[in-house]
Amino acid sequence: MFGRVKPLDAILATAEKKSLHRSLGAFQLTMLGIGAVIGTGIFVLTAEAAQKAGPGMMISFVIAGVVCAVAALCYAEMASMVPVSGSAYTYSYAVMGEVIAWMVGWALILEYAVAAGAVSVGWSGYMIGYVEHAFAIDVPDALTLGPLDGGSINLPAMIIALLVTLLLVRGTKESATVNAVLVGVKIVALLAFIALAVPVMNMKQFDPFAPLGFGGISAAAASIFFAYVGFDAVSTAAEETRNPQRNMPIGLIGSLAICTIFYLLVASGVIGSVGAQPVMGPGGEVLEPGSRELSAQCAAIADQAVVCSKEALAWTLREIGWPQIGNLVGLAAILALPSVVLMMMFGQTRIFFVMSRDGLLPEAFSRVHPRYNTPHVITVLTGIFVALFAGFFPVGQLANISNSGTLFAFAAVSIAVLVLRRTDPNRARPFRTPLVALVAPLSIAGCIYLFWSLDEKSKIMFAG
């Protein structure tokens, strides 16, 4: 079991026998990447990062972006060599054997299924904020917040997760088309936010820049990393891509570059316009995001801080005198965040599909629907679990647990690239990672550093 690897040639042969339809090009892949990346991270976790790092979250975005960039270069080489569904799981199976592949497969389940739950919770925050401000009604917290956040169950988050599951059962091509429209909506919303918030920036808001020191910036980077997760969902679509050798690297690196620029502009808009200092406890103690203590302290100051908001960007615009535009940005998030849930669940179901095809999960999981040509059994099962995560956990905790799995998988891919360069140097590599002796170790070190910066609960959950 420990020595069993699945040779690359066998992986490619299996995929040919029981394969998915190739229908995606470079533009669609870049859109899928932006669709998967720009989402809860920037719309929701901005408040989480502010509570950990204050204005220093600007550096957190850069750190997380750099780690993702070096990991993306390793991913691009593997994805172009092995254009098969399964992402890091498939690559690990080919290079490091069945046991590591099995662990990476479950780490990816943490990454995608838990992340889909986190995005559903983020969507719920914007949905409830929009309904309350646009229609002047008060929705009870018991039905819109999980038990750790001071409520009972997050019903809107559960409902959106189940609706996305139904769409995914219908088919890939339809999903990609809907996604392209929603990506457009998201980008327009962020451009509107940047255009209104950046001009009213006040540099005094950036002082103190790092109220909780570099430890706070590292902790925020470990959370903010979630804002970039999803670019590797592009590589899970390798088997459904036309000319993957050319199109995969374009999709991966193009989407990452566009997203980083957006993030820095949005973060500076939030900090410069309304400030982003952490809310401290009554005795000046540091409060954990998504905790009952922070909820109580926010209630004491009537939620007058961006870290208290479940819809940071819409809240910021309302505070600087654009309430209607704030509502529209909220509406854009409501329309667009389901595309991120869709991409996360798309990635998740494809990994389960490949693990089942390899015999590491029951064969029923890789059954393809006779009419829709989608892996319907595993899609429905995933949808149920995502809905449960979304209903009962706060967004920050879900994001951190998801990050733990992602960082493990990214490190595994970076190791796989190095190993393959040594064991199979003559294999065709349509995309070669530049300066691999520097880039791959940087990626591995970056993943370990961010993993170490996560909170203790997330590390324990990952080990479990």
Side-chain angles (χ1 to χ4, degrees):
M1 180 171 74
F2 286 90
R4 195 154 58 214
V5 298
K6 186 168 187 183
L8 287 178
D9 297 321
I11 287 172
L12 295 167
T14 309
E16 288 303 315
K17 263 188 288 187
K18 192 173 188 177
S19 63
L20 298 160
H21 179 60
R22 292 190 185 275
S23 60
L24 307 172
F27 175 73
Q28 280 166 311
L29 278 179
T30 306
M31 287 294 111
L32 280 178
I34 297 170
V37 173
I38 292 186
T40 305
I42 193 64
F43 280 102
V44 182
L45 288 181
T46 313
E48 177 105 357
Q51 179 61 14
K52 289 181 176 176
M57 68 174 166
M58 297 280 289
I59 296 175
S60 305
F61 274 113
V62 175
I63 292 172
V66 168
V67 174
C68 270
V70 286
L73 289 168
C74 296
Y75 249 99
E77 177 168 323
M78 292 303 289
S80 66
M81 279 169 72
V82 193
V84 173
S85 274
S87 183
Y89 158 75
T90 305
Y91 312 149
S92 303
Y93 204 163
V95 181
M96 292 176 286
E98 197 164 273
V99 171
I100 299 288
W102 172 248
M103 287 165 65
V104 169
W106 285 99
L108 288 171
I109 289 160
L110 273 185
E111 174 184 344
Y112 288 116
V114 178
V119 181
S120 302
V121 176
W123 178 86
S124 169
Y126 270 88
M127 181 70 189
I128 299 308
Y130 178 77
V131 167
E132 290 186 339
H133 284 92
F135 304 107
I137 53 174
D138 191 37
V139 183
D141 285 352
L143 299 177
T144 60
L145 294 173
L148 298 175
D149 242 355
S152 300
I153 186 171
N154 195 332
L155 272 182
M158 293 184 82
I159 291 165
I160 195 66
L162 294 172
L163 287 174
V164 168
T165 305
L166 288 176
L167 179 63
L168 269 175
V169 171
R170 289 301 301 264
T172 304
K173 185 75 188 203
E174 293 79 354
S175 305
T177 309
V178 169
N179 179 68
V181 175
L182 294 180
V183 170
V185 170
K186 238 179 330 199
I187 289 174
V188 168
L190 290 180
L191 285 172
F193 178 85
I194 291 164
L196 295 173
V198 171
V200 295
M201 272 171 60
N202 179 351
M203 295 316 287
K204 286 181 187 161
Q205 301 280 24
F206 286 83
D207 188 46
F209 186 71
L212 302 178
F214 194 74
I217 290 173
S218 295
S223 295
I224 280 290
F225 183 75
F226 186 80
Y228 291 95
V229 170
F231 77 84
D232 62 315
V234 175
S235 69
T236 65
E239 208 171 310
E240 290 154 270
T241 301
R242 295 191 307 273
N243 189 6
Q245 282 75 6
R246 171 186 168 271
N247 292 334
M248 292 301 311
I250 296 173
L252 279 165
I253 292 161
S255 55
L256 205 60
I258 293 166
C259 295
T260 304
I261 294 163
F262 264 115
Y263 285 179
L264 289 173
L265 286 169
V266 169
S268 58
V270 171
I271 298 161
S273 58
V274 294
Q277 297 298 333
V279 168
M280 299 298 192
E285 68 273 20
V286 177
L287 299 176
E288 191 185 338
S291 63
R292 284 205 179 102
E293 294 78 14
L294 181 60
S295 298
Q297 197 60 25
C298 281
I301 58 167
D303 289 338
Q304 283 307 299
V306 76
V307 300
C308 298
S309 177
K310 300 284 181 201
E311 28 147 26
L313 303 194
W315 184 88
T316 300
L317 287 175
R318 291 188 196 114
E319 288 295 304
I320 60 172
W322 299 96
Q324 291 310 324
I325 309 277
N327 287 344
L328 285 175
V329 166
L331 185 60
I334 293 164
L335 289 171
L337 288 181
S339 74
V340 188
V341 182
L342 186 144
M343 268 313 298
M344 295 297 177
M345 287 175 64
F346 173 88
Q348 172 63 76
T349 53
R350 276 18 179 209
I351 285 154
F352 266 144
F353 175 80
V354 179
M355 287 175 79
S356 166
R357 191 166 67 180
D358 285 342
L360 296 184
L361 287 173
E363 196 191 343
F365 287 3
S366 61
R367 279 197 199 130
V368 174
H369 195 283
R371 184 171 160 204
Y372 300 129
N373 290 322
T374 53
H376 61 296
V377 177
I378 197 58
T379 303
V380 171
L381 195 65
T382 301
I384 291 166
F385 274 99
V386 169
L388 291 172
F389 293 143
F392 296 102
F393 289 94
V395 65
Q397 196 58 58
L398 287 171
N400 283 353
I401 294 166
S402 169
N403 285 352
S404 67
T406 312
L407 289 163
F408 179 78
F410 283 8
V413 169
S414 305
I415 293 167
V417 166
L418 281 178
V419 172
L420 263 186
R421 283 287 183 100
R422 181 151 295 188
T423 57
D424 197 354
N426 300 323
R427 183 169 290 277
R429 287 173 169 79
F431 176 84
R432 294 178 73 87
T433 305
L435 302 171
V436 73
L438 176 68
V439 169
L442 257 179
S443 170
I444 298 160
C447 290
I448 292 168
Y449 158 68
L450 288 181
F451 185 90
W452 213 248
S453 302
L454 286 168
D455 60 307
E456 294 306 312
K457 265 187 286 190
S458 303
K459 290 181 204 163
I460 293 164
M461 286 287 282
F462 172 80

